[in-house]
Amino acid sequence: MIGGDAAGMSAASQARRLKGPDELEIVAFERGHFSSFSACGIPYWVGGDVATRDELIARTPQEHRARGIDLRMRTEVMEIDVARGRVRARHVDSGAEAWTSYDRLVIATGARPIRPDLPGADAPGVHGVQTLDDGQELLDTLSATRGRRAVVVGAGYIGVEMAEAMINRGYEVTVVNRGSEPMATLDPDMGRLVHRAMEGLGITMVNDAEVTKILTGEDGRVRAVGTQDAEYPADVVVLGIGVRPETDLARAAGLPVGDHGGLLTDLAMRVRGHENIWAGGDCVEVLDLVSGRERHIALGTHANKHGQVIGTNVGGGYATFPGVVGTAVSKVCNLEIARTGLREKDARRAGLRYETVTIESTSRAGYYPNAAPMTVKMLAERRTGRLLGVQIVGREGAAKRVDIAAVALTAGMTVEEMTSLDLGYAPPFSPVWDPILVAARKATAAVRRNAG
């Protein structure tokens, strides 16, 4: 196993459940200090919602070893020799190297944060957030910094979550975003709702702005983020630009990589063309069940499922991972953001003709206390009425409604079929017509109106 986090150690644990130590020897390499941790929880640890780092660790190296897995920490695999069935690993601290042979190899190298190739990008006070070590370094910087100005570069999931973390820490926050609106995983009209809400929370949003440099002071520390048009003072900078699949090792070994940089696998998560090599997690591309195309989506939910499938197959069983519909949720303070399926530009890229509808509703019956507003956008295929995607922006109770749409997408339902879904209702939980059903009714009318 190359990689000791979600996919790798889920695979190792599942394989061990199926095969005892006498039947299957499992060796796992992890270059970091921690195994099986929740990277998704790091913004909430930094922001103070999660009290300690250890709460983000699902299973320690000692616990894995107690289950018969030879987990070698601080050990980085430097080379895969596919022809001879072996890997070359180097101990990070001592520099000692050794070859280890394998009968079956699992690649779970994850993804790496995109770090811009700009002057000052490596200056003290500039942080990426991908590992627990990254989170600890950022917290150490916040503790040692007198100033209270934070600039977040990027406005995707990581960017908005880190903006919230900085707000919670009492910082004055500016988000610099090269897109026209935050959350490029949404259509721009829905991203605009996020923009307005973030500004309402006191966050300064700077859109259509490409960072060109990170400026430093006489002490070498970061002092500002620069674009072509302006400079934004900063005592700390958080990079939330996104991630890329960590596949350099696999590329060097000649393994197949897709258009998005991720390893290509079959339904059993076996690397294409290689009977004894599997891959999963953030380093692979997955099938989008709606568009029928390969995508790279870095999410812990997928990684753990990949690990279960791989571990079952490595352990002598049989399992498959059919694909995804692209479901994700996030929040910034009390604003909830959700999406699943295709955006408008995804549908156009796939050559689909579609209808879109947008509705305003509430999380509870309008007369019930604390009913919160939400906006739902729905895409449906023009001729067939097949659901193509849903986006939701709202307050408490909004985001997890996207799961209804995720199930409908996976089942290939039409929007008309969705209108008959038997969803739970009581005034504290929903209006009598759930917002998803209201959007489905409106989409059904649009499809009928424009049929042919």
Side-chain angles (χ1 to χ4, degrees), residues 346-410:
D346 301 323
R348 289 193 296 268
R349 190 179 298 125
L352 298 170
R353 299 177 68 196
Y354 61 91
E355 300 291 337
T356 70
V357 298
T358 302
I359 65 100
E360 306 287 335
S361 187
T362 55
S363 58
R364 301 179 171 96
Y367 56 80
Y368 195 86
N370 301 316
M374 74 173 72
T375 302
V376 179
K377 180 175 182 177
M378 185 172 286
L379 278 71
E381 191 170 18
R382 181 167 294 173
R383 289 185 62 86
T384 67
R386 177 173 64 110
L387 178 67
L388 296 179
V390 170
Q391 300 164 37
I392 304 174
V393 176
R395 305 293 170 172
E396 182 184 1
K400 286 295 282 180
R401 274 184 163 87
V402 81
D403 289 342
I404 303 167
V407 173
L409 281 167
T410 304

Side-chain angles (χ1 to χ4, degrees), residues 51-300:
T52 67
R53 180 183 64 196
D54 288 350
E55 292 179 62
L56 301 181
I57 299 173
R59 192 166 291 173
T60 65
Q62 293 79 12
E63 289 172 322
H64 283 301
R65 291 172 190 139
R67 289 169 169 81
I69 298 168
D70 181 4
L71 176 53
R72 304 176 186 181
M73 301 299 295
R74 301 291 290 159
T75 306
E76 181 175 11
V77 173
M78 308 299 293
E79 181 182 354
I80 302 171
D81 184 347
V82 173
R84 300 179 68 177
R86 60 179 188 167
V87 299
R88 178 170 59 87
R90 178 180 65 86
H91 193 272
V92 174
D93 299 320
S94 69
E97 293 191 0
W99 287 95
T100 301
S101 297
Y102 65 82
D103 298 303
R104 301 161 194 167
L105 177 67
V106 176
I107 301 172
T109 44
R112 63 180 180 275
I114 298 172
R115 202 170 187 98
D117 185 16
L118 298 173
D122 295 322
V126 180
H127 295 268
V129 184
Q130 180 74 4
T131 67
L132 294 185
D133 287 326
D134 296 334
Q136 188 62 60
E137 289 174 5
L138 175 56
L139 284 172
D140 292 343
T141 292
L142 298 179
S143 297
T145 301
R146 291 186 177 181
R148 310 301 292 177
R149 299 169 300 182
V151 172
V152 178
V153 180
Y157 294 109
I158 298 172
V160 299
E161 289 167 0
M162 290 310 303
E164 175 184 357
M166 294 296 101
I167 285 284
N168 289 347
R169 289 281 176 182
Y171 277 72
E172 176 186 327
V173 178
T174 299
V175 177
V176 181
N177 173 38
R178 68 179 180 181
S180 61
E181 298 291 352
M183 297 300 294
T185 54
L186 305 177
D187 287 322
D189 55 337
M190 296 296 282
R192 197 167 303 120
L193 301 178
V194 179
H195 179 174
R196 292 171 186 162
M198 290 177 71
E199 289 189 329
L201 295 168
I203 297 168
T204 301
M205 283 298 308
V206 182
N207 292 317
D208 293 314
E210 188 82 33
V211 174
T212 57
K213 56 188 173 181
I214 296 176
L215 300 98
T216 57
E218 294 181 0
D219 59 358
R221 293 186 56 79
V222 63
R223 66 172 181 82
V225 170
T227 67
Q228 285 188 334
D229 303 318
E231 293 181 5
Y232 301 95
D235 302 298
V236 62
V237 173
V238 181
L239 302 176
I241 305 172
V243 297
R244 291 193 182 99
E246 183 68 88
T247 52
D248 289 348
L249 188 66
R251 285 176 185 270
L255 301 179
V257 174
D259 294 339
H260 305 283
L263 279 160
L264 297 176
T265 69
D266 62 17
L267 290 177
M269 303 308 297
R270 183 182 282 105
V271 174
R272 294 179 190 174
H274 296 269
E275 285 296 312
N276 63 340
I277 303 178
W278 288 259
D282 295 352
C283 67
V284 305
E285 295 185 13
V286 293
L287 177 64
D288 185 313
L289 297 174
V290 186
S291 69
R293 300 184 175 192
E294 303 288 341
R295 296 178 61 184
H296 176 249
I297 304 177
L299 282 176

